[in-house]
Amino acid sequence: MSDTFKAIMVTRDEARNQSVTVKTLTEDDLMDGDVTVAVEATTVNYKDGLAITGASPVVRRWPMIPGIDFAGTVLSSDHADWKPGDRVILNGWGVGETHYGAYAGRARVSGDWLIALPDAFTAQQAMAIGTAGYTAMLSILALERAGVTPDAGPAIVTGANGGVGTVAISVLSRLGYHVIASTGRTGESAFLSSLGASEIIDRAELSEPGRPLGAERWACGVDSAGSHTLANVLAQTMRGGTIAACGLAQGMDLPATVAPFILRGVSLLGIDSVMAPRPLRETAWARLATDLDPQKLQSLSRTIGFDDIIPTAEAILNGQIRGRVVVDMTG
Ligand code: NDP
């Protein structure tokens, strides 16, 4: 096994201009942690796109190796829960933001941040799900905790062609929901139907300023867009319905009124994958192993190499990526 490995490094000059380079590192260059992992697969999430391009302040320490999630095998460990050879997954915890992240051959992290890779998945399959898919499952678990069931009515999924959206559609349809997919890429309707979407609507229906309340169209939903889209989703949620909000693909703002909450008893659930406690992560990954059809997982993902990470980060911000991208780090 080579002692050196490649890493993507984000740096910032005195004028705060960010640049990205590929460097060759050794384990001595890594940050502190009690477990060192051979990174076998990672992915490019929307947040990674923001980190690499500097479009949003995701990186909060320079220099930084971006990459918010990985799957791999433990090489060495001083942590009671992990030993060499264990197969692990990491999502979030500030990795790729304040702690050196996934876009390197090795990662050294706190063992408290790791969970076991379910037997159902290879490292590459786990990263085909990635933080986006795990966040989709956290959203669905939140809906279930709120008592939502498929017989309550249709489920809306916004950002349908994205990482969160594709996994949310796949799992919700497998659970028996009538899924309404909202997308700006209606040309991908056949793909969304193949994942399990029963209806497809143009996201333009939801992305402009709307009325405080509209016709009741769905009982629950997973929103990865925020802004006017989430406001309109809430305004068109059925009485007693529940929406899980996990993203800001349209915007960070929420130009809504309280009308859906106080006149229809609608609930809005916030989803944070980064600091989610370990038992919830384990539940989410266990449910992904049972509730996500492996064939759909394959159809919604494609594999790239380390050298493709930077251009893919730019493409995801331009809305040019469909579904999930797996980075195979073993090549
Ligand atoms: P992707 O880029 O894969 O997907 C986002 C999708 O949103 C796009 O594919 C597109 O779908 C849609 N979209 C893009 N721009 C707009 C717009 N202006 N208005 C409405 N819809 C738009 O990202 P991910 O799925 O990885 O992440 C989705 C969001 O969730 C991001 O904001 C991300 O930061 C957030 N996120 C949050 C997490 C958390 O812990 N809360 C964890 C993971 C992700 P289409 O082409 O079908 O319209």
Side-chain angles (χ1 to χ4, degrees), residues 46 135 159-164 183-185 203 246-250 271 273:
Y46 189 85
T135 301
N161 274 296
V164 173
T183 181
R185 288 178 270 178
R203 79 181 188 207
C246 66
L248 42 62
Q250 183 179 13
I271 307 300
S273 70

Side-chain angles (χ1 to χ4, degrees), residues 68-194:
I68 63 168
D69 49 8
F70 62 76
T73 301
V74 173
L75 293 172
S76 60
S77 169
D78 293 321
H79 190 284
D81 294 351
W82 309 108
K83 60 180 188 318
D86 285 346
R87 301 165 73 236
V88 292
I89 309 178
L90 184 142
N91 298 103
W93 292 117
V95 167
E97 302 179 50
T98 54
H99 189 96
Y100 281 2
Y103 296 153
R106 304 272 187 281
R108 188 181 294 126
V109 297
S110 164
D112 292 345
W113 299 342
L114 298 168
I115 65 163
L117 179 66
D119 289 340
F121 299 128
T122 62
Q124 286 72 19
Q125 285 171 322
M127 287 299 107
I129 296 169
T131 294
Y134 145 74
T135 301
M137 184 50 89
L138 288 179
S139 303
I140 293 166
L141 290 173
L143 294 175
E144 290 179 351
R145 282 197 305 277
V148 174
T149 56
D151 55 13
I156 176 87
V157 174
T158 63
N161 274 296
V164 173
T166 47
V167 175
I169 292 168
S170 303
V171 173
L172 287 167
S173 77
R174 183 153 169 158
L175 293 173
Y177 286 86
H178 177 102
V179 179
I180 303 173
S182 163
T183 181
R185 288 178 270 178
T186 47
E188 298 285 359
S189 295
F191 168 66
L192 297 174
S193 299
S194 76

Side-chain angles (χ1 to χ4, degrees), residues 47-58:
K47 193 170 187 178
D48 298 315
L50 296 174
I52 286 182
T53 60
S56 223
V58 169

